[in-house]
Amino acid sequence: MKRQDFKKTLIVVHDLAMTAVAVVATFYVRFDGRLLDERLQHLPLFLPPFVAFAGLVYWFFQLYRSKWRFASLPDLFNIFRATSVLALTLLVIDYVLFSPQLFGFYFFGKITIALYWLIQMFLLGGPRLAFRYVKYARSRQTLERDSNTPALLLGRGSDIEVFIRAIESGAVKRLQPKGVLSFRSDDLGQSIRGVPVLGTFTDMDQVIQDFQERGTPIRRLVATPSALAPEAHPEMLIARARRLGLPLVRVTSLGEGMRDAELAPLEIEDLLLRPTVQIDRRRLENFIRGKRVLVTGGGGSIGSEICTRVVAFGATDLMIVESSEPSLYHILENPTLLSSDTNVDGLIADVRDRDRIREVMREFRPDVVFHAAALKHVPYLERNWTEGVKTNVFGSVNVADAAVEAGVGEIVIISTDKAIDPVSMLGATKRFAEMYAQALDAEFKGHNGAPRLIAVRFGNVLGSVGSVVPKFKAQIARGGPVTVTHPDMVRYFMTTREAADLVLTSASHADDGRRIAADAAAAYERASVYVLKMGQPVRIYDLAERMIRLAGYEPGEDIEIAVMGTRPGERLHEILFARDEPMAEIGIDGVMAAKPIFADRERVDRWLDALDRAIAAGDRSAAERVFEEAIPEFKRRVLPLEPPAPAEPARLASN
């Protein structure tokens, strides 16, 4: 038995035992003599079914899902609801037993039931709170013994309070909070869980100097999410931290209430984006928890983030498929995966190897597949077009076919905004993979419980391999110049975390449609391509200027910006929907759907045969003719593209 299952079993046994104890204790407190003996005589008939019923009530109110070390008010409220249901059940039973055909008198009585409610609340909630207090006291002792890094915490009081609790619980180690700096003046003079608020961000220099004079030098600055909000002027934090020579880290969180809080160096790209979409964690937990998940390309930027999110939301098993041995090793050594309760495994396999992929699917039998393996760099695929077709088209076909054969419920193909009105081999191959998924998905339409195949389309991801932001950072570190391909080039950006969460959100919506009854299918907005809302596009030239200023330099004076010219297959403006592709809201923030426009399976198979022959002959013209027939918009690739009726591209304000 897994450790996680063993712990849940202990909780179940405890709660059921406490239910029996509560009933017996209530009788002993309330009655004595003949009245007690009479009730104890009938107890063996009543107690077993009542305890079994109580187990179902506890399961319904999710008493077994939360960890005792994090017992909180929501957990106590669930206990309150469950105990109230049991007390009402006893009240109903009492009135049934009052019938003249049965006992003719109240077996419990209202006072007894009220007493039972109090005892049951105490026996269920008391051990949880006691366990949490023991863990808290032990963590405080460990904190005092092991904390060796004096730190200042930066941000709003509510964020700081949650983060200090994460330190106390042991989620964040070796950090000793000495004080708090807030950008809100109304937080001044307060104390948050014993840590004083010493000033605002503008007081940082003086506060750090005071600690230095007292012989307790501050060695780290920790920024909570509120400290990175635009109104907090986070650029000032970076500038001050650099001037003081102190490391500045930010708080990330994998779990509700920062239970799995982590610290990461604050990077420039953390300050470049709009506020991220609020993710419905409960929805994603309900979708992923207890499932077996397979991720292809799991060592890549998006694939690895999907792996960490799948683990965070409670998958039982995760299989990572990678063709790169270093990438596979790197993701399997990820601390988040190593410390999780999910069974994580990985194997080396190339999605272009059809037999190997079928073998992997057949043996692992996943419930959900995320296909993130792809070749994605435009200039490379323009020169190595056959490899792009083999991986992005035939690799996707292999994964989709193998997953369907293995009975997978949801197959998610990671696509790109370059798939719309494609002007490159990357865009064409990705759009063709979308079309294959759409054609295959259409074959199962109307079949309740049949597999769903979807594609999720989004733009550039900050920090990913080949992204412009790491490139600009490296160029700034070398003293420039920062190279931009065109002064008017515009791109969408989002973080890997947000992209991964929205990919999972799209898959959960597809799962909703797979499970609805056939007679409700007409009312369900079925989609096979989901598009992540990327916010306003960003002008790359503006991005370069702001990154230079964030690094403490002046563009054009300290560091030059050089315009190099566009490369083959690049366009100035990215598009998320095709011109003739109907868009639809699905009622989920951050995600839209594109209603399917695709060819039937027979024509798609014919095009695949033609692509196979073109690869064998090394005939790029033949391959492009296939793409032109399958994707009419691809014919316009040699013509200047007008941007899609846009609003003014968002310029990144320097705050």
Side-chain angles (χ1 to χ4, degrees), residues 294-299 319-323 328 346-349 351 357 360:
L294 184 145
V295 181
T296 70
M319 176 61 72
I320 304 172
V321 178
E322 251 298 341
S323 62
L328 180 62
L347 51 82
I348 297 175
V351 295
I357 294 301
V360 170

Side-chain angles (χ1 to χ4, degrees), residues 183-455:
F183 62 90
R184 293 164 51 120
S185 57
D186 53 359
D187 288 335
L188 297 179
Q190 298 181 6
S191 178
I192 304 173
R193 298 185 75 85
V195 181
V197 180
L198 301 175
T200 63
F201 291 174
T202 56
D203 301 319
M204 183 183 295
D205 293 22
Q206 184 61 50
V207 169
I208 290 176
Q209 182 179 342
D210 291 342
F211 276 107
Q212 185 76 31
E213 292 174 353
R214 292 201 296 265
T216 311
I218 297 297
R219 292 168 52 192
R220 182 171 294 182
L221 303 174
V222 181
T224 59
S226 58
L228 304 181
E231 60 268 24
H233 303 294
E235 290 92 340
M236 181 187 69
L237 292 180
I238 290 181
R240 289 178 182 271
R242 282 179 177 159
R243 187 174 65 250
L244 294 167
L246 291 174
L248 176 61
V249 298
R250 64 185 177 88
V251 179
T252 63
S253 176
L254 297 178
E256 199 68 40
M258 290 192 182
R259 293 173 182 174
D260 300 307
E262 294 179 345
L263 299 179
L266 181 63
E267 303 288 354
I268 292 175
E269 52 263 39
D270 296 320
L271 310 181
L272 297 177
L273 290 174
R274 77 219 188 286
T276 57
V277 174
Q278 291 299 312
I279 301 300
D280 186 347
R281 291 188 56 88
R282 180 60 59 85
R283 177 187 185 90
L284 298 189
E285 287 178 352
N286 291 338
F287 171 57
I288 291 295
R289 186 174 298 279
K291 290 187 176 179
R292 297 168 62 84
V293 180
L294 184 145
V295 181
T296 70
S301 305
I302 290 296
S304 60
E305 189 65 30
I306 290 176
C307 290
T308 60
R309 302 310 284 156
V310 161
V311 162
F313 292 125
T316 57
D317 299 270
L318 170 64
M319 176 61 72
I320 304 172
V321 178
E322 251 298 341
S323 62
S324 166
E325 183 184 33
S327 297
L328 180 62
Y329 174 81
H330 183 73
I331 182 62
L332 288 176
E333 292 298 311
N334 185 302
T336 301
L337 272 58
L338 291 174
S339 62
S340 73
D341 294 322
T342 303
N343 297 318
V344 180
D345 198 2
L347 51 82
I348 297 175
D350 194 328
V351 295
R352 305 196 298 192
D353 187 339
R354 186 174 179 84
D355 292 336
R356 172 68 167 149
I357 294 301
R358 292 176 68 183
E359 175 190 354
V360 170
M361 292 285 185
R362 186 169 57 249
E363 292 181 357
F364 183 66
R365 293 285 175 183
D367 300 303
V368 185
V369 169
F370 294 97
H371 175 46
L375 298 176
K376 61 180 182 179
H377 294 292
V378 171
Y380 296 161
L381 264 66
E382 289 303 301
R383 295 198 301 269
N384 305 277
W385 67 274
T386 57
E387 302 307 301
V389 176
K390 289 176 186 177
T391 299
N392 295 352
V393 175
F394 288 102
S396 299
V397 169
N398 294 340
V399 171
D401 289 348
V404 170
E405 289 177 14
V408 177
E410 287 82 32
I411 301 103
V412 182
I413 295 177
I414 306 300
S415 189
T416 172
D417 53 0
K418 295 174 178 62
I420 298 308
D421 290 351
V423 296
S424 64
M425 193 57 68
L426 169 62
T429 54
K430 280 297 199 178
R431 177 63 185 131
F432 198 97
E434 288 184 3
M435 294 173 62
Y436 185 80
Q438 290 172 308
L440 202 56
D441 184 69
E443 294 185 354
F444 301 109
K445 186 175 182 180
H447 296 80
N448 186 29
R452 286 302 321 271
L453 291 95
I454 66 170

Side-chain angles (χ1 to χ4, degrees), residues 435-585:
M435 294 173 62
Y436 185 80
Q438 290 172 308
L440 202 56
D441 184 69
E443 294 185 354
F444 301 109
K445 186 175 182 180
H447 296 80
N448 186 29
R452 286 302 321 271
L453 291 95
I454 66 170
V456 181
R457 191 187 295 160
F458 53 90
N460 298 274
V461 175
L462 284 174
S464 64
V465 177
S467 170
V468 69
V469 172
K471 177 182 176 181
F472 284 176
K473 286 174 64 178
Q475 291 174 337
I476 293 170
R478 292 196 304 265
V482 173
T483 57
V484 176
T485 55
H486 194 285
D488 296 324
M489 183 166 285
V490 169
R491 290 291 182 268
Y492 295 93
F493 288 99
M494 66 181 357
T495 65
T496 52
R497 171 64 56 83
E498 185 179 16
D501 281 343
L502 291 177
V503 166
L504 267 62
T505 300
S506 303
S508 71
H509 182 263
D511 181 62
D512 292 343
R514 190 172 70 89
R515 298 179 182 279
I516 60 175
D519 56 357
Y524 175 77
E525 192 65 59
R526 185 182 178 93
S528 55
V529 173
Y530 292 81
V531 181
L532 307 189
K533 296 179 182 178
M534 304 289 293
Q536 287 293 317
V538 175
R539 186 167 173 252
I540 300 300
Y541 198 93
D542 293 343
L543 178 67
E545 288 184 329
R546 189 179 183 202
M547 287 188 65
I548 292 171
R549 291 193 176 97
L550 284 171
Y553 304 103
E554 189 62 31
E557 297 179 9
D558 303 314
I559 294 181
E560 295 292 332
I561 300 178
V563 178
M564 309 300 291
T566 56
R567 297 171 293 183
E570 285 188 327
R571 58 186 174 195
L572 298 184
H573 300 267
E574 296 294 8
I575 310 167
L576 294 179
F577 289 94
R579 289 173 171 81
D580 301 322
E581 191 174 42
M583 296 176 287
E585 293 283 353

Side-chain angles (χ1 to χ4, degrees), residues 132-151:
R132 174 171 177 173
Y133 178 78
V134 169
K135 286 288 186 180
Y136 168 76
R138 188 177 299 171
S139 67
R140 291 294 299 182
Q141 293 174 359
T142 304
L143 182 65
E144 294 173 1
R145 183 179 67 249
D146 296 341
S147 295
N148 53 11
T149 307

